[in-house]
Amino acid sequence: MRLLLISNSASPGETYLEKPGADIARHLGDAKGDVVFIPFAGVTMTFDDYVTKVNAALAPHGVKVRGIHTFDEPLRAIAEAKAIMIGGGNTFRLLKMMQESGIINAIRERVKAGVPYVGWSAGANVACPTICTTNDMPIVEPLSFEALGFVPFQINPHYLDAHPEGHGGETREQRIREYLVANPGVRVVGLREGSRMFYEGGKLTLVGEHTARLFLFGDEPREVAPSEDVNFLLRKP
């Protein structure tokens, strides 16, 4: 498989997909001009507007996407796709629409056959075994929480260490600890803004200016640096 899993589309002070744009183009390679894009996570914009936004951001890198909703035969489009990209938004709606349209299995098969995959935010979440470590509100109910399962660990995109002043609720770390109590055999990677993970040739790498925070039930969370070997995440704890 060839995966690029991105925490977020833009950090404060950046334009949309500014930071990961060059990495996206390199990852897609010869397929960058013919990408099938899944816009289902978009809720407050139309799918057409979402596609336009992505194309405008990635045009300087030579990347061109076409929304899956514009194909008369979506399953055939996935089966013939040279690359697949899934954008951010609401993870619950994304998963529900992929399940109901029937494309989730087709995407899984195509990517496992070697077609490049790019996903940010919700698109990174669905690359995991489940979407249970998303930050999103469950505005719709998917058929199950089971996702694409490209990696054996869970990602929490947009991971934040902060506990805002005046906020009486749980921190992100506390929420992840709760998840681990219920799912003690799973690793969770808190992927901070501006961070991304590549998987290619059987090797996993962390890229970005920030460390990632690694969670495993029974262990204290620890920081993982981009320079560190993270291939252990591909093995069961």
Side-chain angles (χ1 to χ4, degrees):
M1 291 186 296
R2 297 174 58 195
L3 310 173
L4 173 52
L5 309 177
I6 305 166
S7 177
N8 60 312
S9 54
S11 298
E14 298 174 5
T15 59
Y16 189 68
L17 295 175
E18 175 183 344
K19 186 166 290 182
D23 279 346
I24 291 173
R26 283 194 295 269
H27 181 70
L28 294 173
D30 294 340
K32 67 182 181 179
D34 189 12
V35 182
V36 175
F37 180 65
I38 315 300
F40 295 161
V43 178
T44 57
M45 70 177 99
T46 68
F47 293 159
D48 286 341
D49 286 346
Y50 201 166
V51 169
T52 298
K53 183 177 183 179
V54 171
N55 275 326
L58 296 180
H61 303 284
V63 177
K64 174 70 174 178
V65 308
R66 180 178 172 186
I68 189 67
H69 63 290
T70 65
F71 289 89
D72 293 332
E73 299 180 68
L75 289 176
R76 181 176 179 181
I78 296 296
E80 297 177 352
K82 296 180 180 179
I84 296 170
M85 183 182 294
I86 301 183
N90 187 278
T91 314
F92 291 93
R93 187 186 195 221
L94 168 62
L95 183 59
K96 179 181 175 68
M97 293 192 69
M98 287 201 300
Q99 291 169 339
E100 291 181 345
S101 65
I103 67 170
I104 187 167
N105 289 329
I107 292 173
R108 187 182 292 117
E109 292 173 5
R110 200 77 177 109
V111 173
K112 287 188 175 182
V115 167
Y117 177 89
V118 177
W120 60 87
S121 189
N125 264 137
V126 295
C128 302
T130 74
I131 64 166
C132 291
T133 52
T134 180
N135 306 305
D136 299 333
M137 184 177 290
I139 61 172
V140 295
E141 183 178 2
L143 303 178
S144 75
F145 294 149
E146 182 180 351
L148 292 165
F150 295 146
V151 294
F153 55 89
Q154 290 291 132
I155 291 174
N156 177 245
H158 310 280
Y159 179 77
L160 293 172
D161 300 281
H163 192 166
E165 184 178 354
H167 175 63
E170 289 81 359
T171 63
R172 189 71 58 80
E173 179 170 318
Q174 288 172 312
R175 289 298 192 197
I176 293 174
R177 285 179 182 269
E178 290 175 347
Y179 168 81
L180 291 174
V181 170
N183 302 271
V186 182
R187 291 190 183 98
V188 180
V189 177
L191 203 58
R192 293 185 172 92
E193 305 283 75
S195 299
R196 45 218 180 268
M197 304 187 87
F198 284 93
Y199 177 82
E200 187 168 4
K203 183 179 180 181
L204 183 71
T205 55
L206 173 67
V207 177
E209 302 94 22
H210 305 293
T211 58
R213 194 153 176 82
L214 176 63
F215 298 86
L216 179 63
F217 181 73
D219 294 344
E220 282 301 306
R222 70 178 182 92
E223 298 298 312
V224 181
S227 59
E228 188 173 339
D229 184 349
V230 294
N231 285 290
F232 66 90
L233 290 170
L234 301 174
R235 302 187 295 270
K236 291 185 177 181

